[in-house]
Amino acid sequence: MHKIKTYLARFETYVRLSNVMGDLDVNSYAESFIMPVLNLVFDWELVNANHEQAKQAPGLDLIDRQRGIAVQVTADTSIGKINSSLVKIFDAGCQDNVREVYFYFLRARQGKYAKCIYKNSYGEDVEIIPDRNLIDNDDLCLLISRLKDVSRMEQVRYMLERQFSDLPFEGGISMAEYEAFREKYYACCINNYSRLNFFGLAIPKRPRELSLESLFVAPYFSVPVVPQKLGLKETPVSFNRIKSSDLFEMDHIVVLGSPGAGKSSVVKYSICKIVEGDRAYFRDEKVFDYLPIRVELIRYNAFKLKNGLGIMDYIVQNLLEEFQLAMDKDRLMDIIRTFPIFVFFDGLDEIFDVMERIAVRNDIQNFVRNNRISRTMVTSRFESYEEVGMDLLVYAMLKVEDFYEDQIEEYVRRWYSIEEANDHTRAVEIRNCLEQLGKVDRELKKNPLLLSLILILYRNEGELPTSRLDIYEGCTQTLVDKRDKKEKKFVFPFFISNKTVLFANIAYLHFINEVNKTGDVLDYTYILRFVAGYLLDKNEVESREEGMEVAGKFLEYARLRSIYFDDRFAHKTFYEYFTSYYYYVNYYDKSSHREELIQLIANNIGNASWKVVLELLILKIDQNQSDFTFIDDLISTCLNARAGETLLFFTELLRNLRYVSPGMRKRLIERAIDYMSGKGVDFVRAVALFDHVRMLITMKIHENMFIRIINRRVEDNDLYPTVYEVMMELAFSIGCPIAAPRPSAGLHFEDMWVRAKYFILYRLRGADTSYEGIALLREFREEIRDDRYIGLEFFSLYGQPMFNGAATFNWIQHIIDLVRTQEELVITEEALKLLIPAGHGLEQKLVNAVIERSNQGYEKKAAWTGRRPANQVVL
């Protein structure tokens, strides 16, 4: 019985995993396999009905004609499946002799079923009693254990053993081997991924490592909608917010986020939750059937460049080095071919060189195509992903949303629960901190990494920083210098005049090694000698021997400070800050190198790997200006060298710069509008640029500039119509009305599109009921005088929530939604008469089509959110 239970469990697991991977052939195979087992247990004479009657036996799979018994073998345990099968069985003329029906479930059955009764062609009642007629593996195991004939039990064991013993599957690995590997691997995953290295704060007794669970705040994500052709335009990507628990509804996803948004934390936390089988976290239980594997792409790229090998070889080596699990390549391939796998490719942006990044992107896509990889996730920063991009026919793009206010508060409370042991002190500090955070620019506190650094500074200094540069500098000073006074055990025993500059030189060494591809192996020994040589050159020490001693102490100090260890900086952001500081000290501070610095920035603007370095460098330069000259010259040089990249970079940075002239600010906004509205513009870049400009024109100085720009341009009939759309959306996003463009002598369809869209944008908010919506539609018809626009789907150029919180708008759909909002069950006859007025050409079949699409979409949305619709719009 022990063996029988083991084999039945493997049988159920194999069927379930096969169905997860879309392999439904196993269900047909199960019919033939389970038939002799049921015959032995029940003493039946079942035969395969499909084979016997040339697949003309609807609703059933096995049949014992002498006893009038039919069996349906299925992995679908729903009541709907039972009812539909019974209807098919008793509606088919060839099933007259069926007097009893059984369902054998290949998966665990549901908790409760209602008894149901059908009449066969003789008029006899055929009852389906759940405890008798519905059988799953648990029931079968119990029935086998009650067999009095031991020889029959032996025969069952033999049949199961032939199929599901430790003999290997067709792929070459047995279920027993896989289960043993998975058990060990899962334990290692918890050990490796469930903890994070916390930047040490003010309490020295607390460990530097803590559980990821204690600090993790689940982010929200934005999910793209597939573009569709509507009218003359192509609908852009628009975003719908989802929770982390719904993250794995898609097979292949790219998760994009800003630096410090928590992309790697999402990966590690998700792996831990899959391994733990935490049903409270993921809504889709199928995710627990997958074996999660993380591939850290920066390490994979180094492995590939050194050894000339691929992803499979890297996973094998990583299992040995990080998990202490020996697995040869053939065995790993057997697992990937046989079982559902979820591979997390983490940190595409960590690969510095764009050509190497493209090569790794190709490796990922080929690996997925050439192996039976069930699901994948790729994480990256935005700018790095823009340069390479995954196949959009395979990968859906997701964006890590910024923290909302409730998430910021949750993170603060979790952070203080780690930092402060005293309940009263903790409550007071949380209250004071949240009050102070209310005054901080949302752009700073919405990012998990920046928020944690802000909290470090507030905890140590009692004040909150006001800029991104203040955060990095303040945190660096706290970690490098000020904590020495609070944590006596970590005091550095030797004098170094400027430890920040020394860290900057180490960061530059790493950075230039990646830029120039010197191929140097920057291990501990290399860095130790570099630091010793630096100290000797700066006369910080008197001899090479003393330099080596001080260098060793310094690297230990860096490790205890959680700044630099394992031959790398603890976080990429600190690495980038120290690199930017190097360029500031060695180029800007030395006036003879400033022209060289401007050219260096112009050459590398738009390069994803330089973005944060250049951003922090320019912010640092801006702190030390007395007029507009240097920054203006820098922007002009960059615009001449790489216009699109410069616009994207400086429109994001401009709100934090003080010494940029009003004329240059206006020039950047004008050029950005022209760029966004140009033909053939890259959509991802245009969306980012729109967001940057939208943030700029919320500032008073830029809002006034924007109004002057649009007032001058709105009369220009020679402009490409998309310019009007960009200006409308920008103006609407900040609540600033603009005049509608007047039609020129030769009116074009796209000009009318702009006028129709203008009408909708600036009038829509006044319609709160279906009748007001219909009145607005009638006014629209009078002004536009072209019914072609009523059936079109209007949309935001860049996926912005322009139309009452939605990115798209359709007149009929809008009125339907107003009806639904009022919880009316039907569109009233009076409303329909207004929707389809006689002689206006609005055809009823068009209205019917929109209503049908609306109902389907509403059903899908209800299923997605777990809520059923309270009403249904019908015609």
Side-chain angles (χ1 to χ4, degrees), residues 564-738:
Y564 183 87
F565 54 89
D566 292 341
D567 308 328
R568 61 190 298 191
F569 283 88
H571 196 281
K572 186 178 180 181
T573 305
F574 282 104
Y575 166 44
E576 291 162 327
Y577 168 74
F578 283 120
T579 303
S580 72
Y581 192 77
Y582 177 91
Y583 281 107
Y584 178 81
V585 170
N586 290 278
Y587 285 79
Y588 182 79
D589 264 1
K590 299 174 180 176
S591 57
S592 60
H593 292 312
R594 288 186 181 178
E595 286 300 320
E596 184 183 351
L597 177 62
I598 288 178
Q599 200 57 51
L600 180 78
I601 294 172
N603 291 340
N604 291 289
I605 202 162
N607 186 324
S609 300
W610 282 77
K611 182 178 184 295
V612 178
V613 171
L614 296 183
E615 178 182 317
L616 295 172
L617 171 61
I618 294 169
L619 287 172
K620 182 70 175 175
I621 291 172
D622 184 64
Q623 277 188 342
N624 295 277
Q625 300 301 299
S626 57
D627 59 33
F628 304 130
T629 305
F630 185 86
I631 304 291
D632 276 15
D633 288 348
L634 172 63
I635 296 174
S636 292
T637 303
C638 292
L639 279 172
N640 291 333
R642 308 178 78 177
E645 291 82 355
T646 300
L647 289 171
L648 193 63
F649 180 87
F650 275 102
T651 52
E652 182 180 20
L653 194 60
L654 192 59
R655 64 198 307 268
N656 297 310
L657 295 176
R658 296 177 297 172
Y659 290 98
V660 179
S661 68
M664 181 57 72
R665 291 173 182 271
K666 182 168 174 286
R667 181 183 173 190
L668 282 170
I669 293 174
E670 284 184 308
R671 290 284 297 271
I673 291 173
D674 291 340
Y675 183 88
M676 284 187 285
S677 57
K679 294 182 179 180
V681 64
D682 177 80
F683 177 71
V684 174
R685 178 178 291 177
V687 170
L689 194 55
F690 184 95
D691 284 336
H692 297 169
V693 175
R694 181 173 55 83
M695 292 299 299
L696 281 179
I697 62 179
T698 59
M699 302 170 65
K700 194 64 178 176
I701 180 175
H702 298 135
E703 180 183 350
N704 294 334
M705 288 178 184
F706 176 65
I707 292 172
R708 290 197 296 272
I709 291 169
I710 60 178
N711 284 341
R712 191 180 76 247
R713 292 192 174 198
V714 78
E715 301 296 329
D716 189 349
N717 287 308
D718 294 328
L719 290 177
Y720 185 62
T722 311
V723 174
Y724 292 127
E725 291 193 71
V726 172
M727 292 192 297
M728 278 193 298
E729 291 197 7
L730 286 169
F732 181 80
S733 70
I734 62 170
C736 169
I738 65 174

Side-chain angles (χ1 to χ4, degrees), residues 504-535:
N505 275 269
I506 295 173
Y508 175 76
L509 180 67
H510 280 278
F511 192 74
I512 209 67
N513 187 48
E514 293 179 326
V515 171
N516 295 336
K517 298 184 179 300
T518 61
D520 294 333
V521 179
L522 304 185
D523 57 13
Y524 177 82
T525 302
Y526 190 105
I527 298 299
L528 181 71
R529 290 173 178 168
F530 173 81
V531 173
Y534 171 88
L535 294 173

Side-chain angles (χ1 to χ4, degrees), residues 738-750:
I738 65 174
R742 293 187 301 187
S744 60
L747 189 64
H748 298 294
F749 181 75
E750 288 200 355

Side-chain angles (χ1 to χ4, degrees), residues 267-314:
V267 168
K268 293 177 181 179
Y269 192 78
S270 298
I271 290 175
C272 289
K273 290 302 172 184
I274 291 172
V275 167
E276 293 168 353
D278 188 348
R279 262 62 182 175
Y281 185 69
F282 291 113
R283 193 175 67 84
D284 182 8
E285 289 210 0
K286 289 187 291 186
V287 73
F288 300 108
D289 296 329
Y290 294 85
L291 184 81
I293 297 174
R294 178 178 181 243
V295 175
E296 195 174 356
L297 290 177
I298 187 173
R299 294 184 181 275
Y300 163 67
N301 187 52
F303 171 84
K304 175 186 178 180
L305 294 175
K306 179 181 179 181
N307 303 297
L309 299 173
I311 292 173
M312 195 78 76
D313 300 282
Y314 171 78

Side-chain angles (χ1 to χ4, degrees), residues 367-378:
F367 180 65
V368 172
R369 290 190 184 103
N370 297 333
N371 297 284
R372 195 173 181 178
I373 304 301
S374 304
R375 292 185 176 184
T376 59
M377 175 194 286
V378 180

